Amino acid sequence: MLALPATASAGPVILGGDDLTDHGQQNAGNNEEGWLYMEKAIGNLKPNVTRSNDNSIAALGSAPGDPAAVTDAGAAIRAAADKNGMTVRYFNGADEINNAFASIRDGSYRPAIIWVSGDGEGNDLSDTGCEGPGTEGEAVTNNASTIDAFVSQGGGLMSHGSCYPWLTALLPSVTTVDGGASDDLFLTAEGQSAFPGLSDADINAGPWHNHFEGDFGGLQVLARSSTIDDSTGTDAAVILGGAAVNIVKPPPPPPCSNAQFGDSKSNTLVGTPDGDLLKGLGGDDTLKGLGGDDCLRGGPGSDRVKGGDGSDRLNGGQKPDKIGGGAGDDIIKVQAGRVDVVSCGPGKDVVAAGRGDVIRKNCEKVK
């Protein structure tokens, strides 16, 4: 039983096919190359974390490292954390990783960011292996649902390397494909929007060694390769994530579930991308659906009712109304005894009308 906060949100995520823990160092106290990328990545994740936290990073698969060292994943994350005013708690070995997740579940440990050390460096998951009994990688995979819940509640997540069975446990079609390059990554529009503090130069601080394919669920593609394609011929996706995402897409809300009601005056009610219930009361109202399957119901006044994308149910009120269907298979009902004007949109629409109503020719079926 997860004891994570109950209010759903979305968290910042950066998942890369890189081993930039291995391609960086500190020089005169300043991070360089891959470690500078990590510093900037953590700096972009931190302000987007909304889950209550203790300003720490949970480092999975690493022991404490000295920032003066090189080729040490534990040192790399400490160097990045120090520059962002954060602390690091290390969980090295399968038992410690399992204990970390147990503490996150019961609420006794509340990190801001979970960092998965990857497998391209020393002092990381490669020390025990990515898969198999007793390995650190298996411990992460066994707790994949906790990672998903943590992110969905606004926690941050960062990971490197090719050890992503935990991601496949959440998104079964996702695979990591070996093979990489260097100096060929570019931020997508989504990547630029999500993390404006990162540049193409930052993400090209060192080579990358694998890309992602499959259905990425709620994750966006933040960076692609300009030289290597995936199996569909598209620029390979090398970094996934987003500023406020869910790993597993939450199910859409049921149709007509977001309710808005007018009052005795003339109102304009506008829906959301999900399924809405918009209901006019007194006055001459304007009801506008957007995405989702909506229910729009006119009131006693002369209303304008316009469906959006989705299969909507549109009802007129007691006075002459103007009703327009949007994209999708809509059901439109207007009352007899009033002269209503009905137009339809793309899709197979059904109109139940009374004698005297004006029904446009773009309505497929009229009863």
Side-chain angles (χ1 to χ4, degrees):
M1 184 73 140
L2 293 181
L4 297 171
T7 303
S9 180
V13 173
I14 297 177
L15 308 179
D18 65 272
D19 63 348
L20 293 180
T21 53
D22 185 33
H23 296 279
Q25 61 280 319
Q26 278 199 338
N27 184 9
N30 295 314
N31 291 321
E32 296 180 332
E33 300 176 337
W35 290 18
L36 180 59
Y37 160 75
M38 292 176 61
E39 173 189 326
K40 291 186 175 182
I42 293 295
N44 277 261
L45 292 173
K46 181 180 176 180
N48 290 291
V49 171
T50 57
R51 190 175 184 270
S52 176
N53 65 85
D54 61 7
N55 194 42
S56 75
I57 297 172
L60 305 183
S62 289
D66 181 358
V70 294
T71 64
D72 184 307
I77 190 59
R78 178 182 165 190
D82 286 348
K83 293 295 184 179
N84 285 286
M86 303 182 74
T87 60
V88 180
R89 284 188 62 180
Y90 293 92
F91 300 91
N92 192 34
D95 289 344
E96 289 191 12
I97 291 173
N98 286 321
N99 289 338
F101 282 115
S103 296
I104 291 171
R105 282 193 294 271
D106 67 24
S108 59
Y109 177 41
R110 305 186 67 83
I113 296 169
I114 291 175
W115 176 78
V116 184
S117 58
D119 57 349
E121 177 52 279
N123 194 12
D124 63 9
L125 299 180
S126 66
D127 294 347
T128 65
C130 181
E131 298 181 85
T135 63
E136 292 173 320
E138 182 189 61
V140 176
T141 300
N142 288 344
N143 290 281
S145 61
T146 303
I147 295 176
D148 182 52
F150 179 84
V151 170
S152 72
Q153 299 297 337
L157 175 66
M158 185 175 180
S159 184
H160 311 268
S162 60
C163 185
Y164 283 100
W166 65 265
L167 184 60
T168 303
L170 297 173
L171 302 172
S173 75
V174 170
T175 59
T176 56
V177 181
D178 290 339
S182 60
D183 298 320
D184 67 332
L185 299 183
F186 63 93
L187 288 165
T188 63
E190 293 80 6
Q192 295 173 34
S193 175
F195 300 116
L198 288 176
S199 68
D200 287 356
D202 294 325
I203 63 175
N204 284 295
W208 59 275
H209 301 285
N210 59 274
H211 69 269
F212 301 94
E213 296 194 16
D215 181 349
F216 301 143
L219 300 173
Q220 302 169 337
V221 178
L222 303 184
R224 294 185 180 274
S225 165
S226 62
T227 63
I228 293 183
D229 293 342
D230 63 19
S231 59
T232 69
T234 303
D235 291 338
V238 180
I239 303 178
L240 305 179
V245 295
N246 292 284
I247 300 174
V248 178
K249 281 185 179 179
C256 310
S257 58
N258 300 321
Q260 297 184 53
F261 298 93
D263 54 26
S264 60
K265 300 177 182 179
S266 296
N267 304 116
T268 296
L269 305 180
V270 180
T272 71
D274 299 318
D276 302 298
L277 168 61
L278 307 181
K279 186 173 183 180
L281 296 178
D284 300 335
D285 300 312
T286 299
L287 312 180
K288 296 180 180 180
L290 295 179
D293 299 338
D294 303 316
C295 296
L296 279 56
R297 301 173 184 171
S302 294
D303 303 316
R304 292 176 176 268
V305 180
K306 177 65 176 176
D309 295 340
S311 298
D312 304 318
R313 294 176 177 268
L314 313 176
N315 292 65
Q318 300 167 14
K319 290 186 178 181
D321 301 308
K322 292 183 178 180
I323 299 180
D329 302 334
D330 302 318
I331 298 175
I332 301 172
K333 296 182 180 180
V334 289
Q335 293 190 7
R338 304 286 186 270
V339 181
D340 300 299
V341 178
V342 178
S343 63
C344 300
K348 297 179 181 180
D349 303 312
V350 177
V351 179
R355 186 173 298 174
D357 291 320
V358 178
I359 311 300
R360 302 301 187 195
K361 293 182 179 180
N362 61 355
C363 296
E364 288 77 13
K365 185 174 182 180
V366 180
K367 295 181 178 180

